Amino acid sequence: MSQESQFLAALRSLAGHPAARGLADDAAVLALGGTNLVITHDMLVEGVHFLPGDPPGDIAWKLLAVNLSDLAAKGARPVGVLMGYSLRGEPAWDAAFVAGLEQALSAFDAPLLGGDTVSIPAQAPRTLALTALGTADGPVPSRSGARPGDQLWVSGTVGDAGAGLRILLGELQGGAALVERYRTPTPQLEAGHRLAPLVGAMMDVSDGLLIDAARLGGASGAAVEIDLGDVPLSDAFLSALGDDPPARLAAATAGDDYELLFAGSPEQEGTILALSQELGLPFTRIGSFAEGDGLTLLDRGVPLPLPERLGWEHGLSPVESAPGAP
Amino acid sequence: MSQESQFLAALRSLAGHPAARGLADDAAVLALGGTNLVITHDMLVEGVHFLPGDPPGDIAWKLLAVNLSDLAAKGARPVGVLMGYSLRGEPAWDAAFVAGLEQALSAFDAPLLGGDTVSIPAQAPRTLALTALGTADGPVPSRSGARPGDQLWVSGTVGDAGAGLRILLGELQGGAALVERYRTPTPQLEAGHRLAPLVGAMMDVSDGLLIDAARLGGASGAAVEIDLGDVPLSDAFLSALGDDPPARLAAATAGDDYELLFAGSPEQEGTILALSQELGLPFTRIGSFAEGDGLTLLDRGVPLPLPERLGWEHGLSPVESAPGAP
């Protein structure tokens, strides 16, 4: 067990309140005054979750987006955010950050309600924290509700942000759309809200499709099978990386997608596809749940060995080591 | 205007939602489902808000206490917390932190609901974030409700934590009780809850009695007068620093007290004193509000010039640069 896993296990032993959902969900869910208050808190650290050269305004957007993505996965609508900000004596950087924050708050209709600023040494990495609050009047999907026989779905396209990061690191050539997916992800708030009553389980894909799907199966006590050939890829991704199994595996393990991963019974398939049409957002069937446990990988029907790394696990991820858990 | 003040001014322009209280209160207050949800977020940075050698368990306690103190100032009862934690590969330190966190969560009946862990470089300062949620069914005092003629009160004793910090820095000799006040402050949750319906305005004293009193007066649009001779000092403080005006001024500008500072009309004086008796917690009248603005200082009735520094302002404080504001 890694040091971080040990730490998380120790914290879980303190988190017996039902609203904590065992620190194993995307967010805490607290029944309050006839509604469900959904609360999430994620931090971004310079050099870990964003690159020192990323535009400050984009970092503000990402800070908001990664937290709102957790609300989206629980079907919640944002009611406000609190921000923790580290000052390092760089007024131009700070001003550009605030300008981006204003755009993002407005785009997602999430008012700034409070927070804290702290001064940090000039050589310390910038550390940004955000707490997002949302409400969900309807059911709040967990990660544990998938049942054998359910279909596994993902929204949008996968792998774009990972490709964008590789472009920024000089490891890959590709279009600006991929970099944009890395720097300014879109939380699927409307889709999450509309899907919540239709799904058995839902989470956002932040650490990589394979690792997050394994978590969904693990929490639900079911086996998961994914066919890489069905994983939805964007044209920009296909141009940059092609369509062979290594490219598909890269997409499925890259992380930072902020798409929705959800389980639906076969009876819901028509409703889910109709919603996809209505929203103009692809929902793609990429696999299924079965009795048992573990993750099985196929490539167009042919079994494929699991890669050594399913995604990001130990706080080294572009974002979030253990979603929803401290 | 300092860089931090400019940054805060820019953020305030984004925080038009009434729940944000203009980023000028100890916490956000959101009407939700028939109750008031009170939310605060404060960060602690190693070397800024705590000393690298402080016991990890005490740092956990302080992280919780400084946030719960904001809830106390709004009369709220804790419903839970979310924590942001930075891992630096020090399992023994982390384990001691979790043990202290468990004690503190239990002492304040504040369940851990979620959060995030991030890995940071080994040489980066530890950065800890906490969001505390509380509810207040009754009135939620602001900082702006003091009226000319009101009395200014403070709970407990002031200056102990500041003296404790000086002991830890080797600048002062004194008892362990002072160090304890610095490392493991007590949020006045019960007192805050009981005082909320009695007061015109209330906040916690985190940056220093004088600066926080000036903020209370400023927010209320009233002048404040404080008599240093009335500021309550502990026996431990008096033993270490004596009872002359410089010692009293040190107490009133030191910060990290986490006592309650509140305004009450003269008609409430008897009720406030009876509550003090009932709780076994001193409430001391230290001044009054009048028409006008600004802070006036007396020492046993004799006017005293204001010191150059009223408390901590620019993120250099033992805790919290601008309480309640990002």
Side-chain angles (χ1 to χ4, degrees), chain B residues 137-158:
Chain B
D137 292 332
V140 179
S142 71
R143 293 185 178 185
S144 57
R147 295 288 161 259
D150 278 357
Q151 301 170 329
L152 177 66
W153 298 78
V154 71
S155 68
T157 57
V158 167

Side-chain angles (χ1 to χ4, degrees), chain A residues 42 47-48 52 69 75-76 94 97-98 105 129 132 211 222 229 234 236 248 264 270 289 301 311:
Chain A
D42 283 335
V48 181
S69 181
D94 296 334
F97 182 93
V98 170
L105 292 168
I211 196 166
S234 70
R248 291 191 161 268
F289 294 87

Side-chain angles (χ1 to χ4, degrees), chain A residues 3-4 7 14 20 28 33 39 41-43 48-49 84-85 89 98 102 113-119 131 133 314 321 325-326, chain B residues 3-4 7 14 20 28 33 39 41-43 48-49 84-85 89 98 102 113-119 131 133 314 321 325-326:
Chain A
Q3 284 177 9
E4 178 167 4
F7 181 71
L14 307 187
I39 322 135
H41 175 79
D42 283 335
M43 298 169 85
V48 181
H49 308 94
Y85 191 84
V98 170
E102 178 168 23
L113 301 183
D116 193 21
T117 49
V118 292
S119 289
T131 301
L133 305 165
H314 299 120
S321 53
Chain B
Q3 284 178 7
E4 177 167 6
F7 181 72
L14 307 188
I39 322 136
H41 174 78
D42 282 335
M43 299 171 85
V48 182
H49 308 93
Y85 191 82
V98 171
E102 178 169 21
L113 301 183
D116 192 20
T117 50
V118 293
S119 289
T131 301
L133 306 165
H314 299 119
S321 55

Side-chain angles (χ1 to χ4, degrees), chain A residues 201-284:
Chain A
M202 186 155 62
M203 66 186 291
D204 73 332
V205 186
S206 55
D207 289 351
L209 179 64
L210 296 192
I211 196 166
D212 286 332
R215 287 172 179 152
L216 206 60
S220 297
V224 194
E225 184 179 89
I226 292 181
D227 195 317
L228 270 190
D230 294 330
V231 169
L233 303 178
S234 70
D235 291 342
F237 181 94
L238 291 168
S239 298
L241 277 141
D243 194 14
D244 55 3
R248 291 191 161 268
L249 208 52
T253 55
D256 249 352
D257 296 305
Y258 303 105
E259 294 293 347
L260 296 171
L261 185 67
F262 54 98
S265 70
E267 294 74 42
Q268 294 287 7
E269 184 173 351
T271 315
I272 288 169
L273 288 172
L275 178 60
S276 169
Q277 283 280 331
E278 184 190 336
L279 297 175
L281 175 70
F283 297 154
T284 308

Side-chain angles (χ1 to χ4, degrees), chain B residues 6-50:
Chain B
Q6 283 177 34
F7 181 72
L8 291 176
L11 284 181
R12 280 197 187 100
S13 73
L14 307 188
H17 193 289
R21 293 190 162 192
L23 301 186
D25 206 334
D26 301 85
V29 182
L30 189 67
L32 191 72
T35 186
N36 291 302
L37 184 68
V38 180
I39 322 136
T40 185
H41 174 78
D42 282 335
M43 299 171 85
L44 299 186
V45 178
E46 183 181 41
V48 182
H49 308 93
F50 61 90

